[in-house]
Every structure is written in structure tokens, then in C-alpha cells.
Amino acid sequence: MKPLQIKGLMLDMARVTERYQHYMDMAESASAWGYNTIFAHLTDDDGCAMVFENRPDLATPHALTRQQIKDWIQTAKRNGLNIIPEIECFGHTKYIHSLPKYKHLAVKCVGHHNAIHPMHPDTHAIVGDMLREIAVIFDSPYIHAGFDEVNLGQSKLGAAAVGKEHWEVFADYVNHVHHIIDSLGKKMMIWGDHLVSEPRIGKRISKDIIICDWQYHPDVNTKTTQLLLDMGFTVLCCPSSSRSGDMILPRSNTQGNLQRFSRIAHSLGDNVVGLVNTVWCPGRMLCDTERFAYALGGAWFNDPEADPEPVMCEYVNKRFGIDPPDMLADAILRLSILMPHNSLPRRIMQTETSEKAPPSPVTDAEVMQMREIALAIKPIRNVLESLRSQVQRNEAEYNNFILTCDLIDWWDKLAHVRLGRDTGNTLACIKEHGHLLLKRCKDDWQRRRFPDDPKRDADTYAEQDGLITNLLRSLKNMEVAQ
């Protein structure tokens, strides 16, 4: 088994910018889980999590100051961690062109994904300013420039693009940004999805760029990684422990993705230099319920065949002080196995809406599926409740596993009420219980996040899968129904 240079944990700071202490805690904790790198996803459509002195208008609420970033870097360094910054330079750039003064830079396109005009001098000036400031603040040898999910639509892009196909425009802009980053004495990283879908890009861009191969399905294979290697690139494998489909806490299929991608990274040649555990959209999760997946990812990055049970035992013993830890470790793993894709609770809450039509009625099959999950989770909740008095630290985090069980029980009762099957509950009773659960979720949000963050109560991603957002929408719909 070959050693890996980079074992990274990515924090999505842009979609929800959390309290500064959380990032300091990650800088102190990540190495204990086996990581040597933190990837700071600083910008995305929903925000810019750092105050740039030369572009302060880009910062969104609660963005970290330059001094906070410097202190964070030093804390990480003392704990053996390097922090690599990521600035989205092409797609996912609404944090720039949604501002009125920069709206002329938005590429006209249809759909959720977007792009900033890659040939406009104002784009070059903004991106150049950000990269130069990042290069000064972060002492990492790398800068991640994004370049994933770029949507150029059917845009003509002006005279400078005449005679060029979009893949050529993409490649030329990659090389433009690479020239800036290279001149700053840094190595450039980008996401690999566009190279996979259009291999001609790989022939046109510098082979000095490190490609981050993100693949999130549980049955991931070597195909895309090998394709990028065959193009002549150095590759980072990027699984995920929190992504689309997850709500409340990471599901076991994301853990399968972590382990299988770890096997791939260790089995291929030396040009696979590491792994990154990507953690997207923290607003979907109850605070800290994702930490156990960080521990599993770190263990698999070091040894892809590591048994998850002893890893979990060590985690819960250190995190909660429970000894012996076996029952709790098993309960959390079983809970993650039983967690449904978030589409099921959203169907039951009737919050899976579209602009064209309201959600269709809940089906018998959906109700029975949620009932099976709820019944299987009852004994897990009993275990959690029986061990609660033994928790010595991080009690709020522990209680979130109980809250997870209570939310699933609520979805089960709501599903049966919607079909008129559960005479022991009424819609009014369900609504009252739902408000209590919502309060517990809001109280939890405030522990690690800012209560005045508009992202708490509003959709921050096209999939509309925020936990609090969906609870609010569901309860509002019940008000209308009554």
C-alpha cells in the first residue's frame, strides 16, 4: 500500500459560514482523525467566506477577516495541518456576478449552474486580485481554482470567442488562471468533471495542474481517475461524506464511497497523490453529526481496509467519554445505515415542489418505507437514551443522534396522518410536535452557526434540502391545510 501525500478534509465555508471557533476546532481536531490537510472552500454561489481587502464587497455576512484566517492557518500548522484555499473562478461564481455592479459578468444560461464571463477584463481583474491576496495569506504551496459545473449555455461570449468552441474557451481560461497562480509561486488545482466529459480540454491545458476527481456514488470505480492519469495529470481522489441526498447526518452509502475511493487511490500509481473528504452544504446537517464520518474517512485514507467498528469505538470513547463504547458505536453506525435519502422525508413533508406543479400525494409505498425505517430505529433510540447519563462531554452533539431518531419518528407519524391511517394522531397534534422539533433544530443551529444567517431559513442550493428550511415549509403548509 503506497503512502499518500495529501489526506484532506474539505470544509464548505461558503454555503454556510460558521462560527470562527468551529474552524479553529477543526484545525485542532482533524489531525487526530488522520488528516494532514484542510481544504477551505471559501467561495461558492451562496457566499464568500473571507473578507478580501482588495475586494471587500464580495464578502457575505460573518466572513472571516484576514487576521482570523492567519490565526487559523497558524493553529492548523501547530497541529500538523496545511490549509489549501479554494476560490471558484469560473462556475459557482454568483458570489461575484449576483452583485449589481458585476451583473454584466454573468453568462446568460439556463439552469442551476452558471458561469462568469471568462474573457471579460473585469473578470480577469477580480479573479487576479483574489488570487494574489490568497497567495499572500495562505502559505500552502497549492491554490484550488474550482472550475467545476461550469454552464456556458448557448452564449456567444463576444468577438474574442469567435471561431472557438466552448471547450476551447474553457481550456484557454484554465491556462489564463494557471498563469496567474504559477506566477505567484503556487501549484494550481481544479475539479476534473469537465475534463472527464470533454477530454480535449486535457490536451490543451498545462499538465502541471493537479486534477481533483470528484465521484460521489457508492460504487465508484477507477474509470475517471485512470482517464485523468492517462491524460498525464497528477490526480487527487475526492469522495464525500456529506453530499446531495443526505439530511441530518451522513448516510452509509457516502461511507461506502469514502472506502471504495480510498482503495482506488491506494491501488493506482504514484500520480494519485492523495484523497480529500469533501463535506458539502453543512446546513443540511444537525451540528457535529458529521464528525463520525470524518473519523471513518481519515481511517480509510490511511488504510482502506480498516474495520469501521473499532474506528467508531475509539471515536465515541474519545468524543463522549463512554466506556465501553461498543453499544454506542454500533448504534450510530446502524443509524447511518437506516437513514433515508432526503427525498423520502421531503415527500412526506410535501416540500418537494416545483414551479410548475405542487407535490403529488404521498403513496402507500412511501408510507410503508418510512414505517419500516422508524420501527428499526426505535431500539437504536432506546440504546441512545440508556447511555445518555454516561456522556461526559459533547452532550449537545450526543443529543443530536436522539433528535435524529425523533425526527424520523415524526416523519413516520406525519405520513400515516396524511393517509388517514393513524387515529392516535391528528394533523394539529403533528403540527404541535413539529414546532417543538423545529425549535430543537434551531437551538442546535445556534450552537455552531449564526442565528441571523438568512441561509438557515432559506434554500441555499437548488435541491432545497436544508433541514430547517424543509421543516419550516412543511409546518407552513399544515397551517394552510387547517
Side-chain angles (χ1 to χ4, degrees):
M1 186 171 64
K2 68 185 183 68
L4 300 176
Q5 298 174 31
I6 295 174
K7 291 172 280 190
L9 176 65
M10 191 215 78
L11 303 178
D12 188 353
M13 304 168 70
R15 290 209 177 93
V16 174
T17 304
E18 309 201 56
R19 295 182 188 271
Y20 182 56
Q21 184 53 47
H22 171 65
Y23 300 120
M24 293 297 277
D25 182 38
M26 290 295 102
E28 295 169 350
S29 303
S31 60
W33 298 322
Y35 300 98
N36 60 16
T37 305
I38 290 176
F39 279 73
H41 184 74
L42 291 169
T43 67
D44 209 299
D45 289 336
D46 302 297
C48 175
M50 173 180 152
V51 180
F52 287 84
E53 291 186 357
N54 54 14
R55 296 284 177 175
D57 50 342
L58 299 179
T60 41
H62 311 299
L64 277 63
T65 66
R66 186 173 180 139
Q67 188 58 52
Q68 285 178 315
I69 292 284
K70 287 182 176 180
D71 292 344
W72 185 40
I73 293 169
Q74 291 306 310
T75 299
K77 188 180 295 185
R78 286 194 298 271
N79 288 277
L81 293 160
N82 172 41
I83 299 183
I84 298 176
E86 181 192 351
I87 301 297
E88 291 281 1
C89 295
F90 200 179
H92 290 273
T93 44
K94 284 184 180 179
Y95 73 97
I96 299 174
H97 53 74
S98 65
L99 300 177
K101 67 186 293 185
Y102 300 130
K103 65 180 181 181
H104 63 287
L105 298 178
V107 170
K108 293 181 180 179
C109 59
V110 177
H112 166 61
H113 297 128
N114 62 83
I116 196 168
H117 197 302
M119 296 178 167
H120 200 290
D122 289 351
T123 297
H124 294 177
I126 294 167
V127 169
D129 283 347
M130 296 175 73
L131 292 174
R132 281 186 285 273
E133 189 164 339
I134 280 290
V136 171
I137 295 172
F138 288 84
D139 57 7
S140 169
Y142 308 103
I143 293 177
H144 196 310
F147 279 85
D148 63 314
E149 298 180 324
V150 175
N151 182 5
L152 290 174
Q154 301 301 313
S155 334
K156 300 301 181 184
L157 298 176
V162 172
K164 291 185 177 182
E165 296 185 46
H166 278 176
W167 73 265
E168 296 174 286
V169 172
F170 185 102
D172 289 348
Y173 184 48
V174 170
N175 285 332
H176 168 80
V177 174
H178 174 258
H179 176 74
I180 297 173
I181 293 175
D182 185 61
S183 71
L184 296 168
K186 307 286 188 178
K187 289 185 72 68
M188 179 177 176
M189 295 178 170
I190 63 171
W191 300 111
D193 49 313
H194 284 275
L195 279 74
V196 170
S197 61
E198 180 45 87
R200 287 180 293 181
I201 294 172
K203 297 179 180 180
R204 195 176 178 104
I205 67 175
S206 171
K207 295 299 186 294
D208 185 49
I209 299 168
I210 297 172
I211 309 301
C212 298
D213 180 25
W214 60 274
Q215 305 294 333
Y216 298 153
H217 44 94
D219 56 347
V220 61
N221 59 45
T222 62
K223 182 178 179 180
T224 59
T225 310
Q226 191 61 59
L227 175 65
L228 295 167
L229 290 171
D230 291 344
M231 291 181 191
F233 291 103
T234 298
V235 177
L236 269 172
C237 292
C238 300
S240 180
S241 63
S242 175
R243 60 167 297 245
S244 172
D246 293 340
M247 183 188 285
I248 305 180
L249 57 78
R251 295 175 299 139
S252 60
N253 73 329
T254 57
Q255 294 155 40
N257 173 250
L258 283 172
Q259 187 173 29
R260 289 185 182 90
F261 224 159
S262 298
R263 288 174 178 148
I264 289 171
H266 282 277
S267 68
L268 295 177
D270 291 340
N271 281 344
V272 175
V273 294
L275 286 147
V276 182
N277 184 351
T278 60
V279 185
W280 296 109
C281 300
R284 297 170 176 153
M285 300 290 172
L286 291 173
C287 294
D288 301 319
T289 56
E290 74 279 21
R291 286 178 183 257
F292 78 92
Y294 297 172
L296 288 170
W300 285 323
F301 286 7
N302 283 290
D303 177 6
E305 304 309 321
D307 185 340
E309 292 188 11
V311 174
M312 282 297 295
C313 284
E314 181 181 4
Y315 174 79
V316 300
N317 178 254
K318 290 182 177 178
R319 192 70 187 161
F320 305 116
I322 291 181
D323 192 21
D326 307 62
M327 286 179 62
L328 178 56
D330 179 67
I332 294 174
L333 284 173
R334 284 192 292 130
L335 186 58
S336 71
I337 291 170
L338 290 166
M339 285 301 297
H341 188 284
N342 69 40
S343 59
L344 179 59
R346 285 162 59 204
R347 286 281 303 128
I348 288 168
M349 289 187 286
Q350 292 286 273
T351 55
E352 269 205 341
T353 59
S354 71
E355 295 179 0
K356 296 181 180 180
S360 58
V362 177
T363 67
D364 287 350
E366 289 167 334
V367 173
M368 291 309 298
Q369 184 182 357
M370 185 56 76
R371 173 52 56 95
E372 288 176 5
I373 294 169
L375 289 174
I377 279 176
K378 282 184 183 298
I380 295 175
R381 194 195 187 287
N382 292 337
V383 170
L384 292 167
E385 190 63 49
S386 69
L387 295 173
R388 195 203 296 248
S389 62
Q390 299 179 36
V391 175
Q392 299 178 31
R393 46 189 172 270
N394 301 306
E395 184 176 1
E397 176 185 342
Y398 184 90
N399 288 338
N400 276 346
F401 292 111
I402 296 176
L403 177 54
T404 299
C405 298
D406 292 344
L407 284 162
I408 289 172
D409 181 65
W410 183 72
W411 289 329
D412 172 50
K413 289 183 170 64
L414 174 61
H416 279 75
V417 166
R418 289 200 185 281
L419 289 185
R421 293 212 181 140
D422 199 333
T423 57
N425 291 282
T426 64
L427 190 60
C429 179
I430 291 292
K431 185 181 72 173
E432 181 181 359
H433 189 193
H435 278 291
L436 293 175
L437 291 170
L438 175 62
K439 182 181 183 306
R440 288 166 67 183
C441 292
K442 285 184 174 182
D443 289 345
D444 173 65
W445 174 286
Q446 189 166 331
R447 282 195 307 112
R448 209 175 87 182
R449 303 161 187 157
F450 295 94
D452 63 342
D453 189 337
K455 298 170 189 174
R456 187 194 72 173
D457 300 346
D459 293 315
T460 61
Y461 204 61
E463 290 155 343
Q464 301 181 338
D465 49 7
L467 173 58
I468 289 177
T469 306
N470 277 278
L471 288 171
L472 283 166
R473 188 181 291 120
S474 179
L475 292 167
K476 181 179 180 181
N477 291 344
M478 290 182 203
E479 295 282 357
V480 173
Q482 283 190 312

